[in-house]
């Protein structure tokens, strides 16, 4: 099932971009080579769990006020809500 990274319990196995990982902390995971990787809480992953209980997951959920600046789905509406800011840095020169 598709879930967000913050919903996974520590120790859960999941897949992201075709690679397998194991969650080692609330924002970290180890890949198949046991190399550490940092994941944002709202990253969508594929996993069968185990998931955190909803009341615990709610404490780790990303702040919705911050999500509006990231334009995760690439839609114009969320970009307009964020004041027209782009998720791409522009060259100042």
């Amino acid at each position: 099932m598709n879930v967000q990274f913050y919903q996974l319990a520590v120790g859960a196995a999941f897949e992201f971009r075709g690679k397998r990982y194991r969650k080692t902390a609330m924002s970290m995971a180890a890949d198949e080579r046991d190399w550490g990787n940092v994941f944002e809480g709202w990253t969508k992953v594929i996993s069968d769990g185990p998931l955190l209980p909803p009341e615990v997951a709610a404490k780790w959920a990303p702040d919705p006020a911050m999500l509006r600046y990231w334009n995760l789905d690439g839609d114009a509406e969320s970009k307009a809500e964020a004041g027209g800011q782009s998720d791409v840095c522009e060259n100042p020169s």
Side-chain angles (χ1 to χ4, degrees), residues 41-92:
W42 54 72
T43 303
K44 293 179 183 176
V45 299
I46 300 170
S47 178
D48 290 330
L51 301 178
L52 292 172
E55 61 277 2
V56 175
K59 295 177 184 178
W60 291 97
D63 182 1
M66 294 304 296
L67 291 177
R68 67 187 185 124
Y69 292 104
W70 285 92
N71 190 20
L72 297 177
D73 297 323
D75 62 336
E77 185 175 317
S78 63
K79 191 176 285 188
E81 289 175 7
Q85 293 188 11
S86 172
D87 56 350
V88 177
C89 295
E90 299 196 14
N91 188 346

Side-chain angles (χ1 to χ4, degrees), residues 3-7 26-27 39-44 60-62:
V3 296
Q4 290 182 307
F5 184 77
Y6 80 89
Q7 296 173 303
M26 291 310 294
S27 62
F39 283 84
E40 296 286 349
W42 54 72
T43 303
K44 293 179 183 176
W60 291 97

Side-chain angles (χ1 to χ4, degrees), residues 12-32:
F14 65 96
E15 186 175 321
F16 178 70
R17 295 188 176 169
K19 291 176 69 176
R20 300 286 303 159
Y21 297 87
R22 179 182 39 83
K23 187 170 182 176
T24 57
M26 291 310 294
S27 62
M28 296 199 65
D31 62 19
E32 295 167 336

